[in-house]
């Protein structure tokens, strides 16, 4: 008999009102996969876009959610990295995967990492998509390191506040552009130079951007 689980699903495209709880079949992990008991799922703009348009998942019904944190319930053949009971988090295959808005979700073992004990499941589930976006842009693409000078616009945003911390941890000089209301928060995250919005922002930004662009041009040559 197939086991079931509760999930938040949708039968039509639209706003938040199309989401509803339902009982669906619980998936089984295949080769290289892990069955994850979901403790927390993150919500991103991509979730709303897919809910409204079906851009990534096609026609409903489907279960949204890519950012996930939870406990390994079962492992598929060939999985040696994790065992039942391990606390992990990660990004489900994006954009064609998903399924974190449920009691259980299937993930490739390679898409997960162990959750640090000092991080709650809620905190961990907020990291994957935004954190990977910042990491891939700054580290894997731009090669930010000691001696780099980085300007981060929207430094208090979902990706921005993580980019500030990543760049600072890599030893770069970090300049964060943010509103006056968020300046204290940005400064506290990694002690970057913080520039607030105001009448002279454009002139200051032009000067900063020139020096940062020099670094960027040197990086990509």
């Amino acid at each position: 008999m197939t086991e079931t689980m509760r999930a938040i699903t949708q039968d039509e495209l639209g706003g938040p009102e199309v989401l509803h709880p339902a009982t669906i079949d619980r998936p089984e992990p295949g080769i290289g996969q892990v069955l994850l008991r979901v403790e927390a799922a993150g919500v991103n703009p991509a979730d709303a876009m897919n809910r409204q348009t079906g851009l990534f998942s096609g026609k409903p019904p489907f279960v949204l959610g890519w950012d996930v944190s939870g406990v390994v319930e079962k492992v598929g053949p060939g999985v040696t990295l994790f065992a039942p009971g391990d606390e992990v988090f990660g990004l489900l295959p994006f954009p064609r995967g998903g399924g974190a808005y449920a009691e259980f979700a299937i993930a490739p073992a390679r898409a997960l990492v162990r959750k640090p004990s000092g991080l709650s499941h809620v905190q961990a589930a907020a990291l994957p998509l935004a954190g990977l976006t910042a990491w891939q842009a700054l580290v894997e693409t731009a090669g930010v390191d000691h001696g780099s000078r980085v300007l981060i616009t929207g430094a208090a945003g979902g990706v921005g506040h993580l980019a500030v911390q990543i760049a600072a941890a890599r030893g770069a000089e970090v300049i964060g552009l943010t509103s006056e209301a968020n300046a204290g928060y940005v400064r506290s995250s990694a002690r970057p130079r913080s520039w607030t919005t105001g009448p002279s922002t454009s002139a200051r930004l032009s000067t900063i951007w020139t020096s940062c662009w020099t670094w960027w041009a040197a990086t990509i040559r």
Side-chain angles (χ1 to χ4, degrees):
M1 181 178 177
T2 303
E3 294 190 61
T4 60
M5 65 178 183
R6 297 287 284 171
I8 301 298
T9 186
Q10 62 185 93
D11 302 313
E12 58 183 313
L13 301 175
E17 69 278 358
V18 304
L19 299 173
H20 63 88
T23 299
I24 62 176
D25 290 344
R26 196 182 88 171
E28 283 293 314
I31 296 174
Q33 293 182 328
V34 166
L35 177 66
L36 190 65
R37 186 171 75 249
V38 177
E39 295 291 335
V43 180
N44 293 288
D47 295 72
M49 182 188 303
N50 195 51
R51 185 196 68 232
Q52 293 174 315
T53 67
L55 177 63
F56 304 136
S57 302
K59 295 181 179 180
F62 50 72
V63 177
L64 293 169
W66 288 273
D67 282 351
V68 68
S69 183
V71 180
V72 174
E73 181 78 9
K74 188 176 182 181
V75 299
V79 175
T80 58
L81 291 174
F82 306 112
D86 289 343
E87 293 187 322
V88 297
F89 73 108
L91 182 70
L92 300 183
F94 184 83
R96 296 296 181 185
Y101 293 8
E103 290 182 294
F104 296 90
I106 290 290
R110 68 179 183 277
L112 303 171
V113 295
R114 295 183 187 276
K115 183 184 73 64
S117 59
L119 207 62
S120 72
H121 283 292
V122 171
Q123 291 169 329
L127 281 174
L129 185 57
L132 284 170
T133 299
W135 178 270
Q136 290 168 351
L138 292 174
V139 181
E140 296 182 6
T141 301
V144 167
D145 211 333
H146 289 278
S148 300
R149 193 181 196 205
V150 184
L151 170 66
I152 298 172
T153 61
V159 174
H161 84 289
L162 296 173
V164 166
Q165 296 173 72
I166 290 170
R170 301 284 293 181
E173 178 187 359
V174 184
I175 303 168
L177 183 65
T178 186
S179 67
E180 186 172 354
N182 290 325
Y185 168 70
V186 173
R187 288 193 184 99
S188 69
S189 64
R191 298 192 180 279
R193 291 169 57 187
S194 176
W195 295 85
T196 59
T197 57
S200 60
T201 297
S202 296
R204 289 188 293 171
L205 184 56
S206 178
T207 301
I208 298 167
W209 178 254
T210 300
S211 61
C212 290
W213 177 252
T214 302
W215 162 81
W216 176 259
T219 299
I220 62 176
R221 279 202 297 267

